């Protein structure tokens, strides 16, 4: 039977591009089939902030951060909480990834022109003990150029390989079935969808115009996760996180639908840890939406006061930036799908950042002049101020009574007592009289400012929130934001897919989010952040190099 390529890659996101370019570098012919149009090259990575985890990097050392592979692995294990028989391969992939992040990852990317913003972020700070969840030190390196900056090197390599005849793109080709000869996966079959010139991320048509069938020696599934398919999210929702949310906003476009995970499972692949998922709790509805139900995540500093829907302050250590899934579990235990930040203008201008390439035009556009304006001035960034003015989840008032009235009107639940909210904020404000405190969130604020990066650009100077000099007061309704799939197709260290018996399926590989970012869930239950794009890079590279050796 004639072959259309040596290897077929299903999906033109970051993991697929990495795998394809590694194959092309080895002289292999690659066919990339993608259900969306060419405008969506790079997939979800394009929309990201471009955060990457490096361990003991020059950027860390320049900021006085002492990190090591041993500390990073300790943090990973405390965060992942591996506790299942099926965690064998996820744990092995995770250990290999941490070594990669401490080793050649940075040099490999720099050789392709990749650069990072010099001030590090400190994501998922935990707040439990040394063996528990969270990053002991700042490790979140933002790509200079954000998501487009991480996609660009691989898009450039792919285009160069396309010009040499080694990579061919088949846009608007939706795979409906994996083909096999005996037990060997050697092709794909599906439907050609009608042309659609919609802009990147906009929902496209599903009109079928014909069929296709392609053959190769191997197939790499790089189709992404399930975050755009809320029905599938709810179906896999774990009991440990409470009831599935009735209302969520989408952090990914509609085509992130999980179809290929089911299709690959139908071909004999084993799916593990489908109940492990990563959804953010600081989601706000995009006032300028691109895809359906479009949500944006707030990346908060440590100072905003966090209240549940009934007006109770979140318990320790569930403060902004500490433990995403712990916060999600707490929110779902309240019986409501939303919560509130209360803050002021001094906090929003210094501490609010928005995730996504389009929400950070200064870093995305690589403009130092614009980026250096962030720590100064009375206002936040342009996108933050636009949300404050236009976002349906924002309430801005000059006093607590009017603020709480607006919050109750926005939610429609009328659960908040202005006197009680005032009492809690005044109690917190009294803890700022001394440089020490019994309030664990205030401790976290002081701790954050001991890190130079937070003190410079990400943490407001501690102050009384009810001081009019720092007003106006701001409340933000926070929604559950769907995002990442932490489980998926089980794979080994070479990204080869395993069947129910734990055996390799000849010719079949899986990478990126479809494989739980490697192994079928290398993050375990929780993530350290900066590891999602990294998992796409690592698994894509492993699959491309392994498949290049396997094909004749």
């Amino acid at each position: 039977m004639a072959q259309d390529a040596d290897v077929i890659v299903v999906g033109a996101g970051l993991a697929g591009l990495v795998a394809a370019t590694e194959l092309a570098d080895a002289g292999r012919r690659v066919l990339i089939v993608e259900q969306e149009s060419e405008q969506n090259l790079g997939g979800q990575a394009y929309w990201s902030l471009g955060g990457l985890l490096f361990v003991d990097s020059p950027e860390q050392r320049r900021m006085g951060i002492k990190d090591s592979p041993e500390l990073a692995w300790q943090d990973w294990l405390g965060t992942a909480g591996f506790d299942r028989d099926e965690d064998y391969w996820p744990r092995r992939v995770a250990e290999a990834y941490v070594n990669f992040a401490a080793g050649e990852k940075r040099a490999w990317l720099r050789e392709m022109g990749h650069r990072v913003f010099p001030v590090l972020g400190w994501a998922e700070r935990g707040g439990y003990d040394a063996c528990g969840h969270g990053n002991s030190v700042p490790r979140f390196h933002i790509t200079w150029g954000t998501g487009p900056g991480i996609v660009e090197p691989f898009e450039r390599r792919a285009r160069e390989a396309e010009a040499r005849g080694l990579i061919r793109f088949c846009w608007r080709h939706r795979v409906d079935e994996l083909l096999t000869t005996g037990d060997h996966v050697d092709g794909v079959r599906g439907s050609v969808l009608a042309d659609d010139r919609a802009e990147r991320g906009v929902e496209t048509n599903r009109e079928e115009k014909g069929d296709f069938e392609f053959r190769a020696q191997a197939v790499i599934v790089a189709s992404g996760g399930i975050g755009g398919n809320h029905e599938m999210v709810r179906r896999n929702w774990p009991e440990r996180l409470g009831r599935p949310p009735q209302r969520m906003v989408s952090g990914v476009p509609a085509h992130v639908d999980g179809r290929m995970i089911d299709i690959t499972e139908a071909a004999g692949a084993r799916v593990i840890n489908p109940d492990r998922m990563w959804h953010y709790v600081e989601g706000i509805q995009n006032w300028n939406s691109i895809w359906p139900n479009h949500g944006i995540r707030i990346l908060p500093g440590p100072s905003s006061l966090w209240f549940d829907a009934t007006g109770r302050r979140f318990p320790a250590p569930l403060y902004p930036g500490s433990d995403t899934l712990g916060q999600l579990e707490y929110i779902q235990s309240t019986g409501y799908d939303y919560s509130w930040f209360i803050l002021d203008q001094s906090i929003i201008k210094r501490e609010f950042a928005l995730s996504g390439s389009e929400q950070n035009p200064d870093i995305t556009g690589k403009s130092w002049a614009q980026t250096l304006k962030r720590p100064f001035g009375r206002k936040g960034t342009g996108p933050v101020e636009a949300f404050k003015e236009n976002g349906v989840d924002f309430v801005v008032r000059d006093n607590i009574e009017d603020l709480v009235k607006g919050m109750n009107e926005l939610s429609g639940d009328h659960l908040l007592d202005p006197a009680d909210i005032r009492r809690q904020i005044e109690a917190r404000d009294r803890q700022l009289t001394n440089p020490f405190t019994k309030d664990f969130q205030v401790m976290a604020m002081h701790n954050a400012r001991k890190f130079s990066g937070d003190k410079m650009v990400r943490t407001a100077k501690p102050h009384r929130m009810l001081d009019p000099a720092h007003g106006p007061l701001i409340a933000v309704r926070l929604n559950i934001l769907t995002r990442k799939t932490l489980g998926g197709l089980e794979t080994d260290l070479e990204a080869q897919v395993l069947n129910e018996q734990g055996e390799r399926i000849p010719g079949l590989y899986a990478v990126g989010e479809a494989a739980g970012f490697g192994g079928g869930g290398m993050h375990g239950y929780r993530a350290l952040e900066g590891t999602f794009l990294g998992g796409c890079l690592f698994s894509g590279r492993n699959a491309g190099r392994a498949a290049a050796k396997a094909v004749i």
Side-chain angles (χ1 to χ4, degrees):
M1 181 179 296
Q3 292 181 347
D4 298 280
D6 295 318
V7 180
I8 296 169
V9 175
V10 182
L14 179 62
L17 286 177
V18 174
T21 51
E22 291 294 320
L23 283 158
D25 282 355
R28 304 297 184 258
R29 296 177 301 118
V30 185
L31 185 63
I32 301 178
V33 292
E34 167 61 55
Q35 68 175 354
E36 295 306 309
S37 55
E38 190 170 2
Q39 293 91 310
N40 288 281
L41 180 66
Q44 306 327 301
Y46 181 92
W47 296 107
S48 75
L49 190 59
L52 293 170
L53 181 143
F54 295 113
V55 177
D56 191 26
S57 69
E59 290 78 20
Q60 287 178 300
R61 294 193 292 272
R62 279 195 289 269
M63 299 196 76
I65 299 165
K66 298 178 181 179
D67 199 5
S68 68
E70 294 78 16
L71 181 60
W73 183 233
Q74 173 183 303
D75 288 347
W76 194 291
L77 287 177
T79 296
F82 295 125
D83 61 0
R84 299 173 177 175
D85 291 342
E86 53 265 46
D87 284 333
Y88 174 77
W89 284 112
R91 181 181 173 123
R92 289 196 62 187
V93 172
E95 187 171 15
Y97 173 72
V98 170
N99 290 330
F100 176 63
E104 61 181 314
K105 177 182 176 183
R106 183 179 181 276
W108 177 62
L109 289 170
R110 282 184 68 83
E111 189 177 356
M112 290 180 264
H114 177 268
R115 297 293 184 269
V116 297
F117 186 63
V119 180
L120 305 186
W122 193 356
E124 291 295 301
R125 305 180 188 210
Y128 303 94
D129 59 32
C131 294
H133 167 64
N135 285 290
S136 298
V137 298
R139 298 188 176 106
F140 193 80
H141 298 66
I142 298 174
T143 297
W144 186 236
T146 68
I150 191 67
V151 171
E152 190 278 331
F154 300 98
E155 179 179 358
R156 183 181 68 247
R157 288 172 60 192
R159 293 302 191 188
E160 291 170 353
E162 183 182 29
R164 300 197 309 270
L166 290 173
I167 288 180
R168 179 161 66 97
F169 289 94
C170 290
W171 305 105
R172 302 293 288 163
H173 281 60
R174 185 190 67 200
V175 173
D176 300 321
E177 180 185 0
L178 295 179
L179 304 177
T180 60
T181 300
D183 62 352
H184 190 109
V185 174
D186 59 359
V188 296
R189 179 183 294 136
S191 303
V192 179
L193 303 179
D195 191 31
D196 197 316
R197 298 296 179 181
E199 294 183 5
R200 180 188 291 271
V202 174
E203 191 172 17
T204 56
N205 74 70
R206 288 295 178 263
E207 180 185 354
E208 298 178 6
K209 302 294 288 186
D211 302 319
F212 71 88
E213 180 177 312
F214 298 129
R215 292 282 180 171
Q217 295 181 55
V219 175
I220 299 175
V221 176
S223 55
I226 69 172
N229 185 342
H230 289 194
E231 179 184 350
M232 197 169 183
V233 169
R234 294 189 182 97
R235 188 165 70 243
N236 290 308
W237 192 268
E239 290 185 9
R240 66 181 178 277
L241 294 180
R243 63 177 179 82
Q246 297 303 303
R247 179 177 176 275
M248 299 181 283
V249 292
S250 288
V252 294
H255 61 254
V256 186
D257 55 15
R259 287 183 72 255
M260 274 305 302
I261 296 176
D262 288 344
I263 290 168
T264 309
E265 185 177 25
R270 185 187 187 201
V271 174
I272 60 174
N273 303 315
D275 62 318
R276 292 178 179 170
M277 50 185 70
W278 189 258
H279 305 304
Y280 293 109
V281 290
E282 312 99 330
I284 50 178
Q285 298 177 75
N286 194 344
W287 65 273
N288 189 20
S289 294
I290 297 172
W291 53 79
N293 199 22
H294 189 173
I296 296 294
R297 185 201 175 195
I298 295 171
L299 301 172
S303 304
S304 296
L305 285 176
W306 205 337
F307 295 89
D308 66 27
T310 69
R312 294 174 297 182
R313 194 171 162 196
F314 275 39
L318 303 181
Y319 306 128
S322 64
D323 178 3
T324 293
L325 286 199
Q327 293 151 356
L328 176 57
E329 182 179 0
Y330 176 76
I331 290 169
Q332 292 310 107
S333 74
T334 68
Y336 297 90
D337 295 335
Y338 66 93
S339 59
W340 297 97
F341 275 165
I342 293 181
L343 59 152
D344 57 30
Q345 183 63 31
S346 292
I347 293 173
I348 200 170
K349 79 178 183 68
R350 177 60 70 92
E351 297 194 6
F352 264 38
L354 301 173
S355 184
S357 55
E358 81 282 15
Q359 300 298 330
N360 295 274
D362 50 351
I363 302 176
T364 301
K366 302 182 180 181
S367 170
W368 281 111
Q370 293 298 317
T371 302
L372 290 173
K373 292 180 180 179
R374 285 191 176 224
F376 307 105
R378 177 66 178 162
K379 294 185 177 182
T381 65
V384 168
E385 291 293 329
F387 264 94
K388 192 182 78 173
E389 180 177 349
N390 303 306
V392 297
D393 294 307
F394 283 72
V395 181
V396 183
R397 300 290 189 273
D398 291 324
N399 60 74
I400 280 291
E401 287 69 29
D402 287 344
L403 186 77
V404 174
K405 179 181 178 181
M407 294 164 70
N408 280 326
E409 290 173 350
L410 176 59
S411 72
D413 293 324
H414 298 279
L415 300 170
L416 304 176
D417 177 1
D420 188 49
I421 298 296
R422 174 180 283 277
R423 176 188 63 81
Q424 294 182 74
I425 296 177
E426 287 178 341
R428 175 265 190 195
D429 281 358
R430 294 189 189 102
Q431 296 296 310
L432 298 173
T433 304
N434 297 293
F436 46 85
T437 177
K438 72 175 184 180
D439 187 300
F440 278 94
Q441 183 174 5
V442 178
M443 290 182 197
M445 292 158 52
H446 290 313
N447 189 51
R449 287 178 63 83
K450 291 181 180 179
F451 166 48
S452 59
D454 274 0
K455 187 173 184 179
M456 284 189 294
V457 298
R458 287 289 284 146
T459 304
K461 185 176 181 180
H463 61 272
R464 290 173 50 248
M465 195 173 290
L466 295 184
D467 182 347
H470 294 279
L473 292 169
I474 303 161
V476 187
R477 180 179 60 184
L478 305 175
N479 309 277
I480 308 302
L481 177 78
T482 62
R483 187 61 69 84
K484 299 298 182 186
T485 310
L486 297 191
L489 299 164
E490 186 179 24
T491 66
D492 61 15
L493 284 170
E494 293 188 332
Q496 190 148 14
V497 176
L498 308 179
N499 62 20
E500 289 291 341
Q501 291 73 44
E503 301 165 339
R504 288 183 167 190
I505 299 176
L508 184 59
Y509 301 79
V511 297
E513 198 171 349
F517 299 95
M522 75 170 190
H523 296 94
Y525 289 95
R526 284 172 164 85
L528 290 175
E529 289 282 21
T531 55
F532 300 128
L533 294 176
C536 292
L537 296 171
F538 188 57
S539 61
R541 193 175 90 143
N542 290 345
R545 294 183 177 184
K549 293 177 181 178
V551 300
I552 301 173

